[in-house]
Amino acid sequence: MAGRFAHVDAAAGAGRTAGLAGKVGFAAGIGALAGLSLLGHRGPRAALLGAGIGAVALGASEAVARAVQQPGEIPPLWQRIASSAAVAAPVGGAIGALTGASTRTIATSTGGVAGLLGIRPQKVLLGPLLGAAIGHALSGRARPVPASVVASGTVLAFRVLSAAVFRDAQVSLLAEQVRAEDLPFVVPREARSRYVGTGYVRELAQVLGGTYVAAAPDVGIVASLDELSGPEFDPAEVHPLVREFYEHTTRFTLDIVPKWRLWVRPGYLLYRTVVARPLGQASVPMNQRETQRGIRSRIDTITPDGEEQTAVRGWIRSFADNDEPIYVGIYTTYRRGERGYVSVGFPLPQASFTATLAPTARSGGGLVLSSRSALDQPGHYLTYVDPTSRELTALAVHGFAEQLDVHVEDGELRAEHAFWVFGFPFLVLHYRMQRKARRTARDDAPSAQPTAG
């Protein structure tokens, strides 16, 4: 991985020095709130003393952490643990004051939230169990323990224990404030509002200019499979139906059968309700009953003025009955050395989540695209796009993986799209693709229009 980012290390180092005072000041503010919360029950003088100690301690800790932070790394673990424990103190104190919740309730709920934020299934389970144990131990004390102390102590214990048990990095900082050209595996197409939705490509065209085509006819998510050739994949050996699907995706209808693992269903339902639907992005159907509402699949394109090559291909899937977004993905291909890759960017508010996948051949003329690879390019990347400079700050999300297997079975196109989180499989989308009848091949009437940049 070091070789992949050697060319951005200098830029990343320069970027980290910018804004250091602001980061230290922000940490000092959190420390002040933490100290105020932790000692506020002892009176005004103790509260002020606590605020001062907290501000100096966490601010100094942040300064040291940034000084020792190496290129390609997020801040040191000890600083992340200290910061999360500090944040928990005022939040726990406020919840305790507003609800009057017991020590057991504060500790268990705090541990539960910390576990959920850890995402990893083992951490999701560990959080509330550890919190309940801490709450039980503290509730037996003669003098009540302040809610701020309970919450902060629970988070501190959880972070230390989980760091000792789960040693593999969940995320790593790849680059900070670098040019888009330095990160070819990232699709830097962000949403400029809080809602992505099915109109994203149309709104993007207003920014980029060029000719925008809604529901473009006879277009694919890639221009040509030949762009993906490499040692593990020869496009000449691909089954004609598989090639046609990738290069002329809009010729096909898609039937989806989602298969979720039971353990992930509660968390996904919460995520979908609180995040995905309000965001208008990444809202996968929960079951086959939902898919019976019908799935509308279309590709919107943007072609720069004076050029023939399409610059943006946005594959948009939504429910047919009300156009509620399922997902919006911007598909690109690029070559690195002797290999081609597919990168799919999922726009988020001022950010993008990118899946970069490596192609390999499958028996029978199929094609497998996977992020589970020993190569240095495939993976998943969360990227912030600076709205002014257009510079990127990117994290690698190591715990997420996916694989798309498209093949021909009994003369028909099939696909399985499998997902893992920290090595645990949690979802497989089963696809059945059929060529549209000739009379409906253009059921989504295209509309081409020039847009001003």
Side-chain angles (χ1 to χ4, degrees):
M1 184 167 289
R4 171 168 45 159
F5 305 110
H7 63 292
V8 301
D9 284 349
R16 280 194 301 273
T17 60
L20 177 61
K23 294 172 182 176
V24 172
F26 182 73
I30 293 177
L33 286 175
L36 188 68
S37 302
L38 293 171
L39 296 182
H41 65 285
R42 296 188 176 183
R45 293 184 62 182
L48 289 175
L49 178 62
I53 294 174
V56 172
L58 200 62
S61 179
E62 178 72 13
V64 173
R66 294 291 175 175
V68 302
Q69 182 181 351
Q70 297 298 311
E73 291 182 352
I74 57 178
L77 176 62
W78 48 265
Q79 175 62 10
R80 304 199 310 269
I81 292 176
S83 297
S84 58
V87 169
V91 174
I95 292 175
L98 292 173
T99 66
S102 67
T103 296
R104 282 191 175 92
T105 300
I106 291 291
T108 303
S109 58
T110 300
V113 171
L116 285 173
L117 293 176
I119 302 176
R120 192 193 303 256
Q122 302 97 317
K123 289 187 177 182
V124 174
L125 181 62
L126 173 65
L129 292 178
L130 179 62
I134 292 174
H136 176 75
L138 294 180
S139 62
R141 295 174 61 90
R143 298 181 61 181
V145 180
S148 58
V149 176
V150 174
S152 182
T154 300
V155 169
L156 179 62
F158 171 80
R159 292 298 307 272
V160 170
L161 180 59
S162 61
V165 175
F166 309 109
R167 294 180 175 274
D168 52 320
Q170 299 180 37
V171 297
S172 63
L173 178 65
L174 300 183
E176 189 172 12
Q177 297 177 329
V178 301
R179 302 172 305 164
E181 308 89 85
D182 294 324
L183 305 179
F185 44 83
V186 165
V187 180
R189 300 297 185 191
E190 79 280 23
R192 290 168 172 79
S193 66
R194 295 182 179 180
Y195 187 79
V196 180
T198 58
Y200 171 79
V201 180
R202 181 184 67 248
E203 295 165 1
L204 179 63
Q206 296 294 328
V207 177
L208 300 181
T211 299
Y212 163 68
V213 180
D218 201 28
V219 69
I221 52 178
V222 300
S224 172
L225 280 187
D226 295 336
E227 299 171 356
L228 304 182
S229 63
E232 290 82 26
F233 177 64
D234 182 359
E237 297 179 357
V238 172
H239 192 285
L241 268 179
V242 175
R243 177 182 282 271
E244 184 181 8
F245 171 72
Y246 275 98
E247 296 178 353
H248 304 278
T249 311
T250 55
R251 292 179 183 177
F252 296 84
T253 62
L254 284 80
D255 294 327
I256 307 174
V257 178
K259 297 291 185 182
W260 291 88
R261 293 296 178 102
L262 290 177
W263 64 267
V264 81
R265 285 174 176 263
Y268 176 71
L269 285 173
L270 178 63
Y271 154 81
R272 189 181 185 191
T273 301
V274 176
V275 179
R277 280 179 165 161
L279 183 61
Q281 174 67 294
S283 181
V284 178
M286 193 69 221
N287 48 50
Q288 191 172 4
R289 185 181 66 253
E290 280 193 316
T291 65
Q292 291 174 352
R293 295 166 55 186
I295 304 297
R296 185 188 183 203
S297 172
R298 76 177 200 261
I299 297 178
D300 289 3
T301 63
I302 303 174
T303 304
D305 292 331
E307 298 184 16
E308 296 183 359
Q309 185 70 32
T310 298
V312 175
R313 299 166 185 263
W315 195 7
I316 302 167
R317 286 186 244 180
S318 59
F319 289 106
D321 54 358
N322 62 0
D323 206 33
E324 177 188 345
I326 294 175
Y327 87 66
V328 179
I330 306 301
Y331 281 70
T332 67
T333 60
Y334 74 98
R335 296 193 64 80
R336 185 78 169 178
E338 59 183 358
R339 291 181 171 87
Y341 299 91
V342 174
S343 287
V344 188
F346 300 92
L348 301 171
Q350 214 54 57
S352 174
F353 184 76
T354 301
T356 293
L357 312 173
T360 56
R362 184 190 194 276
S363 60
L367 169 59
V368 176
L369 295 174
S370 180
S371 67
R372 306 180 87 186
S373 171
L375 299 172
D376 63 357
Q377 299 289 295
H380 291 83
Y381 309 99
L382 181 61
T383 306
Y384 168 75
V385 183
D386 188 288
T388 303
S389 67
R390 306 298 302 164
E391 292 178 326
L392 310 181
T393 297
L395 301 173
V397 184
H398 304 292
F400 197 83
E402 65 180 289
Q403 180 169 293
L404 175 61
D405 181 355
V406 179
H407 57 279
V408 176
E409 183 178 319
D410 298 328
E412 295 186 335
L413 270 173
R414 300 286 187 272
E416 288 79 42
H417 199 168
F419 299 86
W420 294 262
V421 60
F422 301 111
F424 289 89
F426 69 91
L427 170 65
V428 178
L429 299 174
H430 297 273
Y431 290 97
R432 181 189 297 265
M433 294 88 85
Q434 295 180 328
R435 192 182 283 108
K436 297 177 181 177
R438 185 177 299 275
R439 63 182 178 85
T440 61
R442 298 193 181 187
D443 55 346
D444 295 319
S447 59
Q449 50 186 303
T451 57

